[in-house]
Amino acid sequence: MSQRINISSGAPWEAIVGYSRAVRVGNIIEVTGTVAVDDNGPVGVGDAYEQTKFIIQKIEKVLAQAGANLTHVVRTRLFVTDIAQWEAYGKAHGEFFGEIRPCTTMVEVSRLIAPEYLIEIEATAILENK
């Protein structure tokens, strides 16, 4: 097996729940489910578009830590609490991925970890083999 690199955000939940912000094994990077939260709490409360933008920017930062960028993303998974807002989620997603065009799934779920979060996004990136 290729070397495994766990990337942490330093959040206390990582140790409690037993997860990493991202994991890189060889040329594959998996980014854990990401919500719109920063050190001060939820971001963009009530705004599906703003939450989606914020989340993708967070994903972009952790990809950089793993040696990748958004162009390496081959799949995103969007878990949303209100599918009727699909256009707002999709608009923000398209602003980042319009030219990259990863495989994407958007699924409505009954709720996320806290009611302030309207969307959670996971991503998979693959680096070119050298």
Side-chain angles (χ1 to χ4, degrees):
M1 183 166 141
S2 298
Q3 179 184 7
R4 177 189 178 112
I5 301 168
N6 291 346
I7 300 167
S8 173
S9 68
W13 306 113
E14 290 176 5
I16 294 167
V17 177
Y19 74 95
S20 295
R21 181 79 191 88
V23 176
R24 178 175 173 176
V25 178
N27 66 334
I28 300 172
I29 303 162
E30 292 285 352
V31 180
T32 198
T34 305
V35 294
V37 64
D38 65 14
D39 293 339
N40 299 312
V43 173
V45 175
D47 190 327
Y49 173 79
E50 287 301 323
Q51 284 196 11
T52 305
K53 277 185 22 179
F54 184 84
I55 291 167
I56 295 170
Q57 290 165 341
K58 280 180 69 172
I59 289 171
E60 188 171 33
K61 289 176 187 171
V62 75
L63 286 172
Q65 289 179 267
N69 59 54
L70 292 178
T71 65
H72 295 108
V73 173
V74 297
R75 171 167 281 292
T76 57
R77 294 163 206 86
L78 289 69
F79 303 95
V80 303
T81 58
D82 181 4
I83 200 75
Q85 295 190 60
W86 71 269
E87 289 178 272
Y89 305 123
K91 179 181 178 189
H93 188 276
E95 288 174 7
F96 291 91
F97 293 111
E99 297 298 317
I100 301 164
R101 298 193 183 228
C103 296
T104 299
T105 302
M106 184 184 300
V107 177
E108 184 177 61
V109 296
S110 63
R111 61 184 170 177
L112 295 170
I113 195 91
E116 296 85 8
Y117 306 127
L118 304 175
I119 180 170
E120 183 168 334
I121 303 174
E122 297 176 346
T124 301
I126 300 177
L127 299 170
E128 294 178 23
N129 285 323
K130 294 183 180 178

